Amino acid sequence: MEHSVLEEAIYDRYILPTERKKTKLCGLEFSFGKEENLNVLYNRFCQYYTYVKNELDKEDHAITGMGINPHFQINQNLPVKSERYRMLLHHLSSYKKYGNCMLFHSHPNFGLFSCASQIQLDVEEKNLPLVLNTFTRLEPLKALILSNSPWGKDNEILCSRDGFWRNSLHGFNRHNVDMYNLEFETTEDVIVYMKSMSLYCVEREGKYINFPPIPLQQYFGMKKMKGEYFDGREYKTVEFEPRIGDLQYLRSFKFDDLTFRGTVEFRSVCEQPVGEIMSSGAFHAGLMEEVAKLSELLENDHSIYHHGYNATELRRMFVKRKRPEGFSWKEVSGLLVKVLNLAEDGLKKRGFGEEKFLQPLYVRAEQMLSPARQMVEGMEKGRSLDDYIEEYGGL
């Protein structure tokens, strides 16, 4: 699409201690503004990354590309000091107040040790339903080649970021997280869906106010709301009136999310090995150019679909290390290659030579191998975690 402008979203990196010194760990985010050509972004990223890596080496730190900080247990795991992050961590940490209404995990600070490779792409309003429907169907396949955050006993989950968001207070309202379990026919359908999403904070006089998640439609029907804010020493209760401007504080965490910028943000992909950092962005940019053909391919697929499972169920099955029975994985591999061919066609249409960034994904599709699976299986055969920290951190 000629109108497509890439906005490099967030490439998180985690600083890891070498064996020589158990130093503090921290998360490092690389974000870039609007750009049309992935090569420009890649060159810019390489300059920043090389500089930062060299500086960290001087302090006996390593930097790598993984979706979970493998040393998170010794990480200080504290956010940058700001009222925004204070509010967010306070909200997520209050999950115990909700009892057993859902299966909460015990890591409310997960955002401080998990990381993603995200990109935003412009979308025309008329194409929005098609884009959201199609990329939702794509999510199970992405899990097979882009998972990079192993978790749990024997690393039984290869993409843990899904569960971290779903089973936190962000997922208290399921419409704020995960995938869309319905087909959008019009843009109005998308708006109706957004009205069912929940708000959990607003700002008044420079203070963030937390309150239990409440759907937008219900929130704007209230005359008064109660919440709590931090006064510098403690949290206090406050009453306030909803305002239409509070929409700016809506925070959803959908895998494929419409933003106020007029973009769709793709946010379900784990941080990728640094040497393959543009693979996910190129994948999405290329497929956006061929979204109609991608939709047709997935609608007619019988390798994963038409087995009695919807896209959400398939995604939850495919993020696991143990592959489910009942599928021909040779056929699934073939489907992945077809999807990559469409992405390559789309990138060629863009005319920037970005298709080179897809090459690592072809290898993964043919071998049915994600970075997480490669690492977990490699470590079982004798390779060390430090080997992968170094390998996944190299340009």
Side-chain angles (χ1 to χ4, degrees):
M1 299 179 189
E2 294 182 357
H3 70 277
S4 288
V5 175
L6 299 179
E7 181 165 354
E8 175 80 340
I10 300 170
Y11 286 124
D12 288 349
R13 300 292 178 274
Y14 281 92
I15 305 168
L16 303 169
T18 63
E19 292 181 351
R20 285 174 286 175
K21 195 175 181 181
K22 294 296 184 183
T23 52
K24 294 181 180 179
L25 309 180
C26 61
L28 180 62
E29 176 183 301
F30 290 83
S31 295
F32 298 98
K34 297 179 181 179
E35 185 55 65
E36 194 172 13
N37 186 339
L38 276 174
N39 291 290
V40 174
L41 290 173
Y42 181 64
N43 291 336
R44 193 181 303 161
F45 167 75
C46 289
Q47 293 176 8
Y48 281 106
Y49 184 79
T50 300
Y51 173 80
V52 171
K53 187 177 186 303
N54 289 340
E55 291 301 307
L56 291 173
D57 285 345
K58 297 175 184 177
E59 302 297 327
D60 291 324
H61 281 70
I63 189 166
T64 191
M66 294 179 181
I68 286 289
N69 184 341
H71 292 177
F72 79 94
Q73 290 177 320
I74 60 173
N75 193 354
Q76 194 172 4
N77 289 330
L78 294 175
V80 173
K81 289 185 178 180
S82 76
E83 289 305 305
R84 164 72 188 163
Y85 286 122
R86 177 194 294 277
M87 175 278 299
L88 179 58
L89 193 56
H90 175 69
H91 169 67
L92 292 172
S93 298
S94 67
Y95 70 95
K96 293 181 181 179
K97 297 180 181 179
Y98 295 80
N100 297 320
C101 64
M102 61 179 278
L103 182 63
F104 291 109
H105 61 69
S106 58
H107 297 281
N109 60 347
F110 63 90
L112 300 171
F113 60 82
S114 63
C115 52
S117 180
Q118 300 174 189
I119 190 168
Q120 296 185 39
L121 298 173
D122 283 353
V123 61
E124 293 181 352
E125 183 177 332
K126 65 180 181 181
N127 291 333
L128 182 59
L130 176 63
V131 168
L132 293 180
N133 292 339
T134 303
F135 280 92
T136 291
R137 291 193 193 97
L138 184 66
E139 288 297 338
L141 293 173
K142 288 163 59 176
L144 293 172
I145 59 173
L146 295 167
S147 292
N148 195 24
S149 54
W151 188 264
K153 183 181 179 181
D154 299 323
N155 295 304
E156 69 267 25
I157 302 296
L158 296 180
C159 181
S160 57
R161 63 178 294 102
D162 300 24
F164 277 130
W165 266 258
R166 181 190 312 121
N167 295 325
S168 73
L169 269 180
H170 284 323
F172 186 76
N173 179 349
R174 290 300 196 226
H175 279 201
N176 281 57
V177 297
D178 281 0
M179 299 154 64
Y180 304 97
N181 287 319
L182 75 171
E183 291 277 314
F184 296 118
E185 295 183 5
T186 65
T187 303
E188 182 61 30
D189 291 340
V190 181
I191 295 173
V192 170
Y193 190 96
M194 292 181 68
K195 290 179 181 178
S196 70
M197 293 179 176
S198 291
L199 198 66
Y200 63 84
C201 77
V202 295
E203 193 174 4
R204 296 288 188 271
E205 299 178 355
K207 298 289 186 181
Y208 280 100
I209 301 173
N210 282 112
F211 45 88
I214 179 172
L216 288 179
Q217 190 123 13
Q218 184 179 344
Y219 175 81
F220 287 111
M222 305 282 286
K223 292 184 178 180
K224 295 282 187 179
M225 283 285 297
K226 285 187 177 180
E228 58 181 0
Y229 72 97
F230 187 70
D231 72 349
R233 296 185 301 275
E234 60 183 355
Y235 283 91
K236 292 186 175 180
T237 301
V238 65
E239 192 173 67
F240 63 96
E241 296 180 3
R243 303 171 184 169
I244 192 63
D246 293 338
L247 275 172
Q248 66 181 300
Y249 299 103
L250 174 65
R251 294 291 185 273
S252 65
F253 298 89
K254 306 299 290 184
F255 287 173
D256 311 295
D257 203 9
L258 177 65
T259 77
F260 69 90
R261 301 179 182 90
T263 64
V264 170
E265 184 173 9
F266 300 99
R267 53 200 323 182
S268 65
V269 176
C270 300
E271 167 62 1
Q272 299 296 290
V274 176
E276 302 171 1
I277 199 62
M278 289 294 162
S279 58
S280 174
F283 181 67
H284 289 89
L287 290 175
M288 185 70 92
E289 300 289 336
E290 299 288 1
V291 65
K293 291 182 180 179
L294 177 62
S295 177
E296 182 180 3
L297 175 64
L298 296 178
E299 285 180 359
N300 295 323
D301 169 66
H302 282 76
S303 63
I304 65 171
Y305 286 108
H306 302 95
H307 287 261
Y309 303 103
N310 62 28
T312 296
E313 292 167 332
L314 289 169
R315 170 87 183 188
R316 293 186 186 183
M317 294 160 67
F318 290 0
V319 298
K320 296 179 180 179
R321 184 181 176 190
K322 183 178 179 181
R323 295 194 180 109
E325 298 179 357
F327 299 92
S328 168
W329 297 106
K330 183 177 181 180
E331 291 180 6
V332 176
S333 173
L335 175 62
L336 278 165
V337 171
K338 290 178 182 178
V339 170
L340 286 168
N341 287 341
L342 283 179
E344 184 174 19
D345 291 343
L347 292 174
K348 287 179 179 178
K349 284 184 179 180
R350 288 167 52 80
F352 299 118
E354 300 159 321
E355 53 271 19
K356 63 188 178 185
F357 295 123
L358 293 177
Q359 289 311 305
L361 301 187
Y362 274 103
V363 176
R364 298 185 199 175
E366 291 166 357
Q367 300 179 359
M368 292 294 292
L369 198 65
S370 66
R373 185 176 293 277
Q374 179 179 335
M375 179 173 65
V376 169
E377 293 181 355
M379 290 173 64
E380 288 181 348
K381 295 177 182 177
R383 292 196 65 185
S384 69
L385 176 60
D386 284 344
D387 288 340
Y388 285 102
I389 289 173
E390 182 175 357
E391 179 181 330
Y392 285 10
L395 270 174

